[in-house]
């Protein structure tokens, strides 16, 4: 029996759709957003989204923890590799690695003695870092499943929302949070945070991606150069809680106002860099605040933010207990974080910019991680 033209046309359409689906499932070469099932947590479906730009560069993001799991861009020779630490399976994230790529909240970094006073009440949080509270507590925003929505935009875009209930992890107020990720054709990962509350509450959201621009965790980050546009930093006590002072970086190992190798002065800092820099960008406008570079791959990462602070954490606690997706152990200082934020322990430090969100106010914060090859 001879096939009619219509039957042939239908077959062609089916074949075309199937091929396209293949591209979508594997992600990574067609501009747009693709989604694949990645498992279940707390009876909620977990997905892995791939945001691919017109160059075929891509980021992958899961709605578990609102986590960036890979960021793949070319080096000077056009060879593409991943510049952040990440895993291909959800099960590794469920072993609670140290916040690789995750969204941190309700309060990024530390709150001293795991408590703060607001109005007439004292709020008690879980002490999950010695006597202090770190990164939102026992089950912070990095360990919950977010609702996902792929946005219709000129660049691939993904919005994740989460309702943190009144009293969750000890924090007051129902907090509705949205994180929107956009991946542009200029290899910029733009992260926009928005939040609303129905009771006054501290909010400090950040992303905890660990970068190694060489694309190979066999290399430490000590030869990367770093510039931070900050004339001051917040010194800390032995438990990494700010003392409340704001000190000039000039003449100290904390001076990154001109790009220098991270390894140059790190041994003069007990434990290594894990501090908040007071950015010169004071008016809340989006500004370039840091540049990280790797001379070998010739990749640079430019960080733009509206936030007043930047936590530069040099991977001082990495100890090889997690294996990167390329099979290599993630050892001491093989990756670093540049966490845009308000200052740690602000709820207990009246001299620091306030982190208290009031009902009726909009929390709004933007950070861009842009990769360039020079
Ligand atoms: C942050 C902190 C560090 C450490 C890491 C996670 O960046 O500042 O002290 O807790 O997270 O290991």
């Amino acid at each position: 029996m001879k096939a009619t033209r219509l039957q042939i046309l239908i077959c062609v359409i089916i074949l075309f759709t199937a091929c396209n689906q293949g591209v979508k499932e594997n992600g990574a070469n067609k501009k747009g957003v693709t989604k694949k099932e990645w498992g279940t947590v707390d009876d909620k479906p977990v997905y892995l989204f791939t945001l691919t730009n017109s160059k075929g560069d891509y980021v992958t993001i899961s709605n578990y923890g609102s986590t960036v799991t890979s960021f793949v861009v070319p080096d000077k020779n056009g060879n593409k590799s991943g510049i952040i630490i990440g895993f291909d399976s959800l099960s590794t994230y469920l072993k609670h690695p140290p916040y690789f790529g995750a969204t941190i909240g309700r309060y990024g970094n530390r709150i001293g003695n795991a408590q703060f006073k607001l109005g007439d009440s004292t709020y008690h949080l879980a002490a999950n870092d010695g006597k202090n509270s770190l990164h939102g507590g026992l089950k912070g925003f990095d360990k919950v499943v977010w609702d996902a929505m792929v946005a219709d935009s000129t660049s691939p875009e993904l919005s994740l929302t989460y309702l943190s209930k009144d009293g969750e992890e000890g924090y007051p107020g129902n907090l509705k949070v949205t994180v929107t990720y956009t991946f542009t054709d200029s290899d910029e990962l733009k992260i926009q945070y928005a939040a609303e509350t129905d009771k006054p509450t501290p909010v400090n959201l950040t992303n905890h991606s660990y970068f190694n621009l060489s694309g190979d965790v066999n290399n430490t980050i000590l030869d990367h150069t770093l510039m931070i546009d900050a004339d001051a930093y917040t010194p800390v006590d032995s438990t990494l809680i700010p003392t409340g002072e704001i000190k000039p970086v000039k003449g100290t190992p904390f001076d990154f106002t001109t790009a220098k190798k991270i390894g140059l002065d790190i041994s003069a800092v007990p434990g290594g860099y894990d501090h908040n820099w007071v950015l010169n960008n004071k008016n809340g406008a989006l500004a370039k605040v840091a540049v990280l570079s790797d001379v070998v791959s010739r990749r640079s990462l430019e960080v733009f933010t509206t936030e007043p602070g930047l936590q530069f954490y040099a991977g001082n606690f990495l100890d090889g207990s997690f294996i990167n997706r390329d099979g290599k152990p993630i050892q001491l200082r093989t990756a670093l974080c540049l966490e845009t934020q308000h200052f740690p322990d602000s709820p207990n430090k009246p001299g620091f910019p306030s982190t208290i969100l009031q009902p009726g106010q909009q929390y709004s914060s933007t950070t861009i991680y842009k990769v360039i090859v020079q």
Side-chain angles (χ1 to χ4, degrees):
M1 197 181 82
K2 248 176 129 187
T4 65
R5 277 187 190 184
L6 183 65
Q7 282 168 325
I8 292 170
L9 187 66
I10 290 169
C11 285
V12 169
I13 291 171
I14 291 171
L15 263 174
F16 179 77
T17 315
C19 290
N20 243 350
Q21 196 56 38
V23 170
K24 280 183 178 171
E25 291 289 316
N26 298 324
N29 49 22
K30 191 168 170 280
K31 183 168 178 172
V33 183
T34 64
K35 170 180 175 179
K36 81 170 189 187
E37 285 174 12
W38 219 38
T40 306
V41 174
D42 296 338
D43 295 325
K44 293 184 192 134
V46 174
Y47 302 101
L48 189 66
F49 296 88
T50 303
L51 280 62
T52 306
N53 68 14
S54 62
K55 299 196 278 186
D57 302 338
Y58 63 94
V59 294
T60 55
I61 299 166
S62 175
N63 62 324
Y64 174 71
S66 182
T67 303
V68 181
T69 66
S70 61
F71 192 152
V72 176
V73 284
D75 65 7
K76 61 175 181 200
N77 298 319
N79 296 322
K80 294 191 186 190
S81 46
I83 56 152
I84 63 166
I85 299 292
F87 312 114
D88 289 327
S89 76
L90 175 62
S91 58
T92 315
Y93 288 95
L94 298 179
K95 292 179 187 147
H96 299 166
Y99 311 97
F100 293 140
T103 295
I104 306 297
R106 188 177 296 204
Y107 198 93
N109 215 280
R110 293 175 176 77
I111 296 186
N113 292 317
Q115 63 178 45
F116 61 92
K117 222 180 149 213
L118 197 53
D120 295 332
S121 309
T122 299
Y123 293 92
H124 296 275
L125 312 167
N128 61 337
D129 187 61
K131 59 183 180 155
N132 303 320
S133 175
L134 175 68
H135 290 336
L138 296 175
K139 192 171 180 181
F141 294 179
D142 59 301
K143 296 181 186 69
V144 299
V145 179
W146 297 57
D147 291 325
M149 205 181 75
V150 173
D152 191 9
S153 154
T154 46
S155 293
E157 195 167 291
L158 172 72
S159 283
L160 300 177
T161 55
Y162 176 66
L163 174 66
S164 171
K165 298 231 173 90
D166 188 9
E168 185 178 290
E169 289 294 329
Y171 289 96
N174 291 295
L175 186 78
K176 191 178 172 212
V177 187
T178 304
V179 182
T180 301
Y181 297 92
T182 312
F183 191 50
T184 73
D185 287 343
S186 314
D187 289 336
E188 296 163 302
L189 175 61
K190 183 176 184 185
I191 310 177
Q192 288 167 283
Y193 304 88
E196 282 176 354
T197 184
D198 58 5
K199 281 184 191 168
T201 184
V203 184
N204 195 22
L205 306 175
T206 193
N207 178 271
H208 211 295
S209 286
Y210 286 70
F211 295 93
N212 181 325
L213 298 183
S214 77
D216 183 348
V217 292
N218 273 350
N219 306 319
T220 72
I221 44 78
L222 296 175
D223 283 337
H224 283 36
T225 61
L226 179 63
M227 184 286 290
I228 306 177
D229 187 11
D231 293 336
Y233 76 109
T234 51
V236 290
D237 68 14
S238 62
T239 70
L240 295 174
I241 293 292
T243 58
E245 302 156 282
I246 292 184
K247 275 202 171 158
V249 295
K250 209 173 162 69
T252 77
F254 298 93
D255 190 352
F256 283 91
T257 49
T258 311
K260 71 173 177 190
K261 277 195 180 179
I262 290 167
L264 191 67
D265 296 327
I266 197 167
S267 54
V269 179
Y273 296 109
D274 188 0
H275 295 75
N276 171 67
W277 270 254
V278 178
L279 298 171
N280 290 334
N281 173 34
K282 300 255 188 301
N283 60 5
L286 187 66
K288 191 195 289 185
V289 298
V291 181
L292 178 72
S293 302
D294 168 44
V295 283
V296 181
S297 66
R298 301 198 73 87
R299 290 187 185 105
S300 286
L301 178 79
E302 298 183 333
V303 183
F304 300 76
T305 191
T306 55
E307 286 296 305
L310 181 78
Q311 185 84 11
F312 161 37
Y313 166 58
N316 310 318
F317 302 123
L318 298 175
D319 59 3
S321 53
F322 282 88
I323 309 293
N324 198 30
R325 58 161 52 81
D326 56 7
K328 297 171 185 168
I330 305 156
Q331 303 284 11
L332 178 75
R333 298 194 179 131
T334 55
L336 63 90
C337 302
L338 296 168
E339 303 156 60
T340 55
Q341 61 182 10
H342 271 57
F343 307 169
D345 200 30
S346 295
N348 294 312
K349 296 284 182 314
F352 288 175
S354 172
T355 51
I356 306 302
L357 182 70
Q358 302 288 345
Q361 280 182 340
Q362 264 287 343
Y363 176 96
S364 162
S365 171
T366 300
T367 291
I368 297 174
Y369 293 110
K370 175 176 186 174
V371 182
I372 51 176
V373 180
Q374 283 164 325

